[in-house]
Amino acid sequence: MAEKPWGGRFADQTDRRVEQFTESISFDRRLFEHDIRGSIVHARMLARVGLISEAECEQIVQGLSEIRAEIADGLFHFSIEKEDIHMHIESALIARLGDVGRKLHTARSRNDQVSTDVRLWTRDAIDAIDDRLIELQRAFLHLADRHADLILPGYTHLQRAQPVLTAHYALAYVEKLARDRDRLADARRRLNLLPLGAAALAGTTLPIDRAFVAEELGFAGVAANSLDISSDRDFLVETVFCLTLIAEHLSGWAEEWILWSTQEFNFLTLPDAVCTGSSIMPQKKNPDVLELIRGRTARVVGSLQTLLVLIKGLPLAYNRDLQEDKLPLFDAVDTVTSCLELASVVVSGARLNRERIASRLDEGFLDATTLMEYLILKGVPQRTGHEVVGKLVSLCESRSCRLADLSLADFQAACPAIAEDVVHSLGVANAVKAFRSYGSTAPDQVQSQLAEWRTRLS
Ligand code: ARG
């Protein structure tokens, strides 16, 4: 029984099935570096306040560093009898140092330890995902730069609506990703409080220095209520929610580009390197990467759901349910990381089919709203202008022509306020130039947004 660190009050062996059921080492071994980082600072704090000697502290730090190298090199032996990463590392230390190793867990519980480890891990994960978000923003910015002048049909309800510059389109995703970064930074700020020192749930009678530990581990402060912080997993829900929105953004974009790469749209050619073929239809080139980015969103939403249900109804302080928090966290981080990586590859490698897009811009009356706004500027009430242009559109449909093909007589028959200068509002190129509001697709607006993003992302 002695081998279990908590075995003192137990007379019988743990049932093997219980060991298998309760272990977390199969997944929480990913925390080893953060666990050791926290333990090293904890040991230094214990020495500072005199709970262990400087010499003992040096032995512990040395031992932990060796264990870290062993795990990193794949030489460390894991087994479910030792339950989790915390007990593995501690018992390896005790095996090396005997009684000195048995002092490391002074003034600490696995409850505050695991919360500290997961916070440190999540903080690093957020920073790595932020780098990927910047990379994808740059890929979209580059797409905007490659096609600054190309006009796209803008859609609402997936029906042709108004023309937009490709740069405006690409910057729409840069903005979404900027909000994603901002949200993660906000979640990071709230998670960056030190739990260690809360001990099991109530704190400790020992003279610890939590501020020192917080400072050394880069936390912005120390959690003020031991009961609260031992149970708190808000930071995981927040982080995974941020990841879910990233996945949702990627999923909408992927859907759009799947459509754009169809023969029906043919706006976009995906590089062979990101497509796969069919085992039966030799001609096929399928956008599987985009489909999987869209599909994996389901997993991330599932992780968020798992966390929300996991913490529902938990009474205060640590409950073993919380061990399950790491699986959805790791899965959401891994999934979003790889989706972001592949999204950057696709955005950088895709080719917009400029001629094909341009050759169909006359379809769909993309200039109709601009014409209506021309009428408003001539003093026609908006509702009247809307009706006039609606009738003109239907006239064009009956003649199979564009608004720009109508004669001045046709226009004036529909509305006498229309003059020769109407030509400046007709056709997609004129319609784009006519925009002027802040944040619109007006060329000078888009240019200044591009300039701003180039500076921000350089
Ligand atoms: N493996 C546990 C977890 O991940 C560590 C904390 C266990 N604490 C306890 N009192 N059994 O949550």
Side-chain angles (χ1 to χ4, degrees), residues 6 22-25 27-28 31 83-86 109-112 114 118 233 318-326:
W6 41 255
T22 57
E23 66 88 22
S24 56
I25 190 59
F27 52 91
D28 70 9
L31 298 172
E83 239 177 88
D84 59 24
I85 189 63
H86 324 295
S109 148
R110 276 184 295 157
N111 302 348
D112 54 345
V114 71
V118 175
R233 294 296 184 276
Y318 183 82
N319 295 278
R320 191 65 176 266
D321 314 46
L322 294 175
Q323 176 165 293
E324 296 282 309
D325 61 0
K326 290 163 238 15

Side-chain angles (χ1 to χ4, degrees), residues 52-339:
I52 61 174
S53 72
E54 282 299 335
E56 287 170 331
C57 173
E58 285 321 311
Q59 281 187 63
I60 289 173
V61 170
Q62 175 65 26
L64 288 170
S65 307
E66 287 166 16
I67 293 166
R68 174 166 51 202
E70 248 181 51
I71 300 177
D73 294 344
L75 303 172
F76 193 86
H77 177 68
F78 294 104
S79 67
I80 59 165
E81 295 91 66
K82 296 202 188 86
E83 239 177 88
D84 59 24
I85 189 63
H86 324 295
M87 294 195 347
H88 272 81
I89 291 170
E90 191 192 350
S91 59
L93 190 74
I94 293 169
R96 266 160 219 261
L97 305 181
D99 274 352
V100 174
R102 299 172 76 87
K103 293 188 176 184
L104 174 63
H105 211 51
T106 304
R108 185 173 82 170
S109 148
R110 276 184 295 157
N111 302 348
D112 54 345
Q113 186 180 357
V114 71
S115 171
T116 304
D117 293 1
V118 175
R119 278 167 201 263
L120 290 171
W121 190 93
T122 305
R123 209 172 63 182
D124 283 352
I126 287 176
D127 293 344
I129 286 183
D130 190 57
D131 289 343
R132 302 251 182 217
L133 286 166
I134 297 174
E135 193 188 334
L136 183 55
Q137 280 186 306
R138 289 195 177 127
F140 274 114
L141 181 64
H142 196 65
L143 180 80
D145 280 333
R146 288 204 301 277
H147 302 285
D149 57 329
L150 177 67
I151 296 173
L152 287 173
Y155 294 82
T156 66
H157 313 263
L158 258 186
Q159 305 289 325
R160 288 191 166 218
Q162 290 190 278
V164 291
L165 289 171
T166 303
H168 196 53
Y169 168 85
L171 289 183
Y173 286 106
V174 174
E175 293 281 350
K176 286 185 195 301
L177 297 167
R179 283 198 299 280
D180 291 333
R181 294 186 57 203
D182 194 49
R183 252 187 300 273
L184 276 174
D186 191 47
R188 188 191 194 283
R189 183 176 61 75
R190 247 185 316 281
L191 77 73
N192 205 21
L193 275 187
L194 176 76
L196 210 61
L201 76 165
T204 172
T205 61
L206 298 167
I208 58 173
D209 181 352
R210 298 184 69 199
F212 169 81
V213 177
E215 169 95 29
E216 293 289 302
L217 290 175
F219 284 107
V222 175
N225 185 302
S226 61
L227 266 180
D228 164 48
I229 204 70
S230 335
S231 64
D232 172 43
R233 294 296 184 276
D234 297 358
F235 71 102
L236 290 185
V237 175
E238 286 191 40
T239 302
V240 174
F241 170 71
C242 296
L243 297 178
T244 306
L245 266 188
I246 295 172
E248 297 285 356
H249 288 155
L250 294 182
S251 158
W253 158 77
E255 166 70 7
E256 207 160 74
W257 280 31
I258 290 167
L259 282 171
W260 285 16
S261 67
T262 59
Q263 256 168 43
E264 285 68 17
F265 269 83
N266 195 12
F267 281 8
L268 185 79
T269 305
L270 294 170
D272 282 359
V274 302
C275 292
T276 51
S278 155
S279 58
I280 178 166
M281 296 168 283
Q283 86 284 11
K284 293 276 279 175
K285 175 177 155 186
N286 294 328
D288 297 37
V289 168
L290 289 171
E291 291 170 300
L292 284 170
I293 288 175
R294 185 178 59 186
R296 293 217 170 116
T297 305
R299 281 175 55 170
V300 188
V301 174
S303 294
L304 178 61
Q305 175 87 348
T306 301
L307 282 169
L308 286 168
V309 178
L310 180 68
I311 62 174
K312 177 201 165 291
L314 286 187
L316 268 186
Y318 183 82
N319 295 278
R320 191 65 176 266
D321 314 46
L322 294 175
Q323 176 165 293
E324 296 282 309
D325 61 0
K326 290 163 238 15
L327 289 161
L329 170 69
F330 293 158
D331 195 63
V333 167
D334 291 345
T335 304
V336 170
T337 300
S338 59
C339 288

